[in-house]
Amino acid sequence: MSIVIDGNIKMTVWGESHGPEIGGVIDGFPAGVKYDEEFALCEMARRAPSSSAFSTKRKEKDIPVVVSGIKDNVTEGSPIAFRILNEDRRSKDYGNIEYTVRPSHADYTAYERFSGHNDVRGGGHFSGRLTAPMVFAGALAKMYLHSFGVKIAAHIRNIGDISDDSFVDYANADVIERIENKTFPSIKKGNSERIEKLIGDIAKDGDSIGAIIECGIFGVKAGIGGYMARSVESRIASAMYAIPALKGIEFGKGFSYALGRGSEMNDCFKIEGGKVITSSNNNGGVLGGITSGMPIVFSAAMKPTPSIYKPQMSVDISSMTEKELIINGRHDPCVAIRAIPVIEAVAALTVCDMYLEAYGYNGTK
Amino acid sequence: MSIVIDGNIKMTVWGESHGPEIGGVIDGFPAGVKYDEEFALCEMARRAPSSSAFSTKRKEKDIPVVVSGIKDNVTEGSPIAFRILNEDRRSKDYGNIEYTVRPSHADYTAYERFSGHNDVRGGGHFSGRLTAPMVFAGALAKMYLHSFGVKIAAHIRNIGDISDDSFVDYANADVIERIENKTFPSIKKGNSERIEKLIGDIAKDGDSIGAIIECGIFGVKAGIGGYMARSVESRIASAMYAIPALKGIEFGKGFSYALGRGSEMNDCFKIEGGKVITSSNNNGGVLGGITSGMPIVFSAAMKPTPSIYKPQMSVDISSMTEKELIINGRHDPCVAIRAIPVIEAVAALTVCDMYLEAYGYNGTK
Amino acid sequence: MSIVIDGNIKMTVWGESHGPEIGGVIDGFPAGVKYDEEFALCEMARRAPSSSAFSTKRKEKDIPVVVSGIKDNVTEGSPIAFRILNEDRRSKDYGNIEYTVRPSHADYTAYERFSGHNDVRGGGHFSGRLTAPMVFAGALAKMYLHSFGVKIAAHIRNIGDISDDSFVDYANADVIERIENKTFPSIKKGNSERIEKLIGDIAKDGDSIGAIIECGIFGVKAGIGGYMARSVESRIASAMYAIPALKGIEFGKGFSYALGRGSEMNDCFKIEGGKVITSSNNNGGVLGGITSGMPIVFSAAMKPTPSIYKPQMSVDISSMTEKELIINGRHDPCVAIRAIPVIEAVAALTVCDMYLEAYGYNGTK
Amino acid sequence: MSIVIDGNIKMTVWGESHGPEIGGVIDGFPAGVKYDEEFALCEMARRAPSSSAFSTKRKEKDIPVVVSGIKDNVTEGSPIAFRILNEDRRSKDYGNIEYTVRPSHADYTAYERFSGHNDVRGGGHFSGRLTAPMVFAGALAKMYLHSFGVKIAAHIRNIGDISDDSFVDYANADVIERIENKTFPSIKKGNSERIEKLIGDIAKDGDSIGAIIECGIFGVKAGIGGYMARSVESRIASAMYAIPALKGIEFGKGFSYALGRGSEMNDCFKIEGGKVITSSNNNGGVLGGITSGMPIVFSAAMKPTPSIYKPQMSVDISSMTEKELIINGRHDPCVAIRAIPVIEAVAALTVCDMYLEAYGYNGTK
């Protein structure tokens, strides 16, 4: 199944890296939401390969063509399907690896899962390209959430030994202004430049690096979410792990929280402006699986791009022999950077789903 | 919804901490699985409050009574429902906190979500007690998985400044022997004693502590799982976040993986004993959302028990005034310890679900 | 899976005819709904075996014990679990049929599906007894729907050659008064007595009979439902077929509608009291899968009780030999009668689910 | 939601009658199934408007373009997405009805459901055109089922006062030969011609007619299906009601079964060729929600095409005034005819889903 979210809205994506096109359908999206094309294209551009000097050299315009569900710039209530052309396919780059499985990629596991019938070129359906439909769907979710006053932003919390401030320490959405329009979104002054240099060095070295991306969802009301696997955390985590290269997700202080003591980590309640808030937000805005009204904050561990230019040992699964592998082709030295708008998008879809559950499709009427 | 897993099997739990009983139903569980009652009771005992000197003083036998779905010690194919008595309820302990919401608990968020209609005593449906049905269901899942050669174990990877070895560095299930039957399961010699002392000190201090629990699933075939939110990671993460106090989940090296480089972190393939394996297992047995045949390894960040004996600032939501709160009652200084069998159980349910997807209900015939 | 409805609310039932107890859990039911115990018990009594002279002689009080989710007669938002004792089990009645499969029962198909591991006594999990939890869950759904002005009633549309008026010809809920409190609910004067005599004759003959039960859901707003398999019809039909012995479902004039012409069957629109209504209701209140504001009317074909006292040919599946079968034990000559409150209950659950989708769980706040 | 089936496979369709294209995605379809393009196009042609002299004059080639999930004529395991151009759109035909809702169509209910934002031209997403993607998906499901020996066929059981034989009376698939390649599929000799004449007369009259379509699924193993709403009937019914104009579904003898007695209707078991079969098949191959090994037989009530050329009374919902409505444009006098391959297709999808549940995705390896 290629479902990103499967609740009151369902988002399915399709396509392969070297097929004619990729696409997606959002089912259950409410009618009457104003479609802001300019905003959607901006979101797409944030993820597109050309947006960074250090991303893959593959050139894709990534203009989604909406084929159903939106008329006169308003959503109709029927499924919103759209497609994105694969314009710059160079399948020959993958000639020598069809049977030699690439380390830390899905080549071997997909071969086992699909008995070798899957398209291996460019990772096929496992390609990072499939995150483009997620971003478009997320842009729509953001349009819906806008009317509820919800704002979403993500930044690079950690990369190599560079660390940024955490959204956990910011109680409102003003912090977003400090990261907007930066090539390498970060709160601390100078971090963007430091990150640019670090990735540049790694690219020159033919290597890759991962990063921890932190996402903040500001303005969510208290009392959204549910029990057990309907918790905010279950739902966000489930959808986030649909993103390739994501290997960890923590809420609030997450793993650091686990290493602390109750007396220092508990988020104490207080009253401010007639509203119940917490003095700290170590829980990342979620208690018992339900929103507290504080910003929802979570961090995603994005692994280094598996494709590197250095030779690696691997196995040719057709001949079952070990083999040295050299990967050519085009790839980002740090996929985490382009994952930033993807993480925001998938977060938006999840929150949209939870709002629909809380207020119904009539809630937007 | 109080669903822990919602796929080919569905597991729902119910009950409140201070209601007459708690229970669960596993729907879709295959017929013909031999029920090993002794094993099930052992698993229950591992989670039961009496199992540790440092756990809550609440006394519960936690003997599940199966009321349907098992006959003559074999599963029938109909839903397996069971209930567990709440024998030792002391609701008066909670008298003074009905309206003063406890920090880092679900009291406030539940109040908002359910308009104050939820049972607040002992956390109501949010109580850690609700993990007992998860353990019983997991025991059944383990019985099913046994015939596929799958073994599951969890240990304390980190607590305070004590750290243990990682399952990431162990390619087979033999490591389990080193943690079995320890009060504080750990691989490294001496850790169990060190942990015992640490928790003892914290309990004396009226404080609490969290821990990072690592779980290994050994013997899973390559090629299990799926795309996007049907990935092994999405499914395990979604179910795990049903466990109270869990604030993070990472696969393999997770967050550390994100901070490393491709050249040092990629899991290279090689052939051993005629089988494709990887030299390292930084990905924790999952690539592209599908199992690689290496052990599935993931870690869960368990926050410190929110209930501590120290005074804390909070809010009385009936009068909307700030108030100092003293929590009495009984609680574990480290809920993470009793979460160990819960994490294993929920892992077992998830893997059971994925095997049913791969082999069908006829796969056990 | 023993799920009756699997949407914004989930209703699961469990138990076997000759197990210790049966039960159910309703997950996702909104908080804050007033629980009317008297009403719930009345509904249970309508289905209970003692309610008709012609029903099975099995004596069951059928008093549901709620073990979670309701406190101080208000729903809490957590799962509502309840159990019902099996008091009058006579398993010996089934001694001679354990391997000789009963015609038109599930004995043979269950044997194949569950490799013979299912409990065959009294039909096990396939027993009509499992409709008791459906009725209780439906009573709760009716309490929720009451605040939206929705009323539900069912009557015997056809039995043998006796036919009743159809709800299709009644635009409002007043018709319900004409069927209430009748042993054999019917609109036409004298039908109740005619039906009583017919069933009596059949019982004396050791035979059984089916019936067509028509259900009307009055007061549903226009604009509820959805596309394709989220249509009102798909959702009601899916849930209805969870009821044993149900072999057909039609909306409005259904099969007769199919045999007519557009010009005579189309429901023309008009305005009455400032509201859009239709002059006729051949579509049974649903157009394009969405409610029109007219009463939702559907009919269910209930087959004759498969258990009859006449000898029948069958097969002993242990020895694979043909065999004459005499069924002893207790059974209704017409299960359709006791299915009336069950059909209403399942309808209520479905409409409750669709209202939650439309208005959210906050819609009742 | 525009989901046709939502289980181990998920099938979503999108598009509007007068949008640029329609399409669908089948998610969860197993890898390694050989794609037979010729067969798929034949199936499409059976539904296409040109296939009958009496169908809409709208000309559509209905050639699906597969954009993902199939490579070298074998399914890959990734989602199979495809699109179909809308070539012959004449939106001006609908100019005068934008606000005057058409009787027995979805215009009014959609207006209420989607607050008037839905595309009303040609029925928008409610158009019968949306059944084209269902047929293509069904063709794929048939390819999968072929390897299990499952065959599916449908015929006109009743239209006006013409009645055909029933599949209930045929124990094996040979009967299919008698209906194949007929313009108006029917078992009885001469029926095809009688039906052709009847529909011709109705078309000349500017009127429309419905029909009862019966579908037989031959060769399904015993023991497929499940409890309650996972019954074969629930699943088939839920998916069938996704088809526009379908107002009833019955299994086996369905409504007639309900009017008979147990002694005459029960399906007695016997042994034939070493296999357990039933002497009659009044239950339509399903007992207790599980297949018996006899053909699955169900009938669908298809209402008369709501669009007729005769004037009808209706309401202009913008001005809230009553109005006489004349419908121009192109429409079939009997939509039921073109629904035949659609019903087969949706049946195939449902059975495919149930086989995947029984045998897993590895069952085809």
Side-chain angles (χ1 to χ4, degrees), chain A residues 207 234 238 263 271 312 322, chain B residues 207 234 238 263 266 271 312 322:
Chain A
D207 209 340
S234 285
S238 168
S263 59
I271 296 176
Q312 298 176 90
E322 297 185 349
Chain B
D207 208 340
S234 285
S238 167
S263 58
N266 277 356
I271 296 177
Q312 299 177 88
E322 298 185 349

Side-chain angles (χ1 to χ4, degrees), chain D residues 95-107:
Chain D
N96 71 323
I97 57 162
E98 190 156 359
Y99 296 106
T100 306
V101 291
R102 294 168 301 163
S104 287
H105 270 290
D107 298 351

Side-chain angles (χ1 to χ4, degrees), chain A residues 335-352:
Chain A
V335 283
I337 306 306
R338 286 173 59 207
I340 293 170
V342 181
I343 288 167
E344 289 179 11
V346 173
L349 283 166
T350 314
V351 177
C352 173

Side-chain angles (χ1 to χ4, degrees), chain D residues 133-215:
Chain D
M134 296 181 194
V135 170
F136 183 69
L140 285 161
K142 285 180 175 181
M143 293 168 206
Y144 166 78
L145 290 172
H146 186 78
S147 64
F148 287 96
V150 175
K151 286 183 184 173
I152 299 173
H155 69 113
I156 304 160
R157 201 191 79 183
N158 298 85
I159 181 166
D161 54 7
I162 303 166
S163 68
D164 202 22
D165 284 358
S166 167
F167 282 156
V168 163
D169 300 317
Y170 291 83
N172 71 61
D174 296 348
V175 63
I176 296 178
E177 293 163 28
R178 294 169 62 177
I179 58 170
E180 272 174 337
N181 303 320
K182 290 186 178 165
T183 315
F184 298 98
S186 38
I187 305 171
K188 270 194 197 159
K189 241 186 142 163
N191 262 5
S192 190
E193 295 72 21
R194 270 189 289 269
I195 295 166
E196 180 154 14
K197 190 179 170 327
L198 173 66
I199 299 180
D201 291 349
I202 280 159
K204 266 180 245 152
D205 200 27
D207 208 342
S208 69
I209 194 164
I212 300 170
I213 305 300
E214 189 182 61
C215 183

Side-chain angles (χ1 to χ4, degrees), chain A residues 91-290:
Chain A
S91 302
K92 62 182 178 304
D93 286 350
Y94 294 90
N96 70 323
I97 58 160
E98 190 155 359
Y99 297 104
T100 306
V101 291
R102 293 169 302 163
S104 287
H105 270 290
D107 298 352
Y108 171 65
T109 56
Y111 180 89
E112 289 294 321
R113 173 67 175 79
F114 302 110
S115 309
H117 295 296
N118 59 300
D119 185 357
V120 80
R121 295 166 301 158
H125 189 60
F126 294 93
S127 167
R129 235 188 114 49
L130 273 294
T131 58
M134 297 181 194
V135 170
F136 184 69
L140 285 160
K142 286 180 176 181
M143 293 168 206
Y144 166 78
L145 291 172
H146 186 79
S147 64
F148 288 95
V150 175
K151 287 184 185 171
I152 299 174
H155 70 112
I156 304 160
R157 201 191 77 183
N158 298 86
I159 181 165
D161 54 7
I162 303 166
S163 69
D164 202 23
D165 284 358
S166 167
F167 282 156
V168 162
D169 300 318
Y170 291 83
N172 72 61
D174 297 348
V175 63
I176 296 179
E177 293 164 27
R178 293 168 62 176
I179 59 170
E180 272 174 336
N181 304 319
K182 288 188 179 163
T183 316
F184 298 97
S186 38
I187 305 172
K188 270 194 196 160
K189 239 184 144 163
N191 262 5
S192 191
E193 295 70 23
R194 269 190 289 270
I195 295 167
E196 180 155 14
K197 188 178 171 325
L198 173 66
I199 299 180
D201 290 347
I202 280 159
K204 265 178 245 153
D205 200 27
D207 209 340
S208 69
I209 194 164
I212 299 170
I213 306 299
E214 189 182 61
C215 182
I217 310 170
F218 299 87
V220 173
K221 286 170 218 257
I224 303 291
Y227 290 119
M228 311 271 162
R230 299 295 168 126
S231 67
V232 172
E233 291 110 324
S234 285
R235 290 154 89 160
I236 290 182
S238 168
M240 284 297 148
Y241 275 114
I243 303 173
L246 194 149
K247 297 300 288 185
I249 180 163
E250 61 180 2
F251 285 79
K253 290 229 168 120
F255 282 86
S256 308
Y257 191 172
L259 296 179
R261 301 199 173 192
S263 59
E264 59 189 356
M265 302 303 273
N266 276 357
D267 295 320
C268 290
F269 291 100
K270 61 177 184 179
I271 296 176
E272 212 173 86
K275 261 186 65 185
V276 175
I277 64 159
T278 54
S279 313
S280 52
N281 189 19
N282 297 328
N283 281 286
V286 189
L287 288 166
I290 297 167

Side-chain angles (χ1 to χ4, degrees), chain A residues 13-30:
Chain A
V13 301
W14 61 81
E16 288 91 32
S17 179
H18 288 63
E21 64 189 48
I22 58 175
V25 59
I26 316 158
D27 200 7
F29 197 81

Side-chain angles (χ1 to χ4, degrees), chain C residues 1 3 104 109 113 207 210 225 227 229 234 238 241 247 249 251 258 262-263 266-267 271 283 287 303 306 312 322, chain D residues 1 3 104 109 113 207-208 210 225 227 229 234 238 247 249 251 258 262-263 266-267 271 283 287 303 306 312 322:
Chain C
M1 298 276 176
I3 282 221
S104 288
T109 55
R113 171 67 173 80
D207 208 342
Y227 292 119
S234 285
S238 167
Y241 275 114
K247 296 302 287 186
I249 180 162
F251 284 80
S263 59
N266 277 356
D267 294 321
I271 295 176
N283 282 286
L287 289 165
K303 72 182 188 186
Q312 299 177 88
E322 298 185 349
Chain D
M1 298 276 176
I3 282 221
S104 287
T109 55
R113 172 67 174 80
D207 208 342
S208 69
Y227 291 118
S234 285
S238 167
K247 295 302 288 186
I249 179 162
F251 284 79
S263 59
N266 276 356
D267 295 319
I271 296 177
N283 282 287
L287 288 165
K303 73 182 188 185
Q312 299 177 89
E322 298 185 349

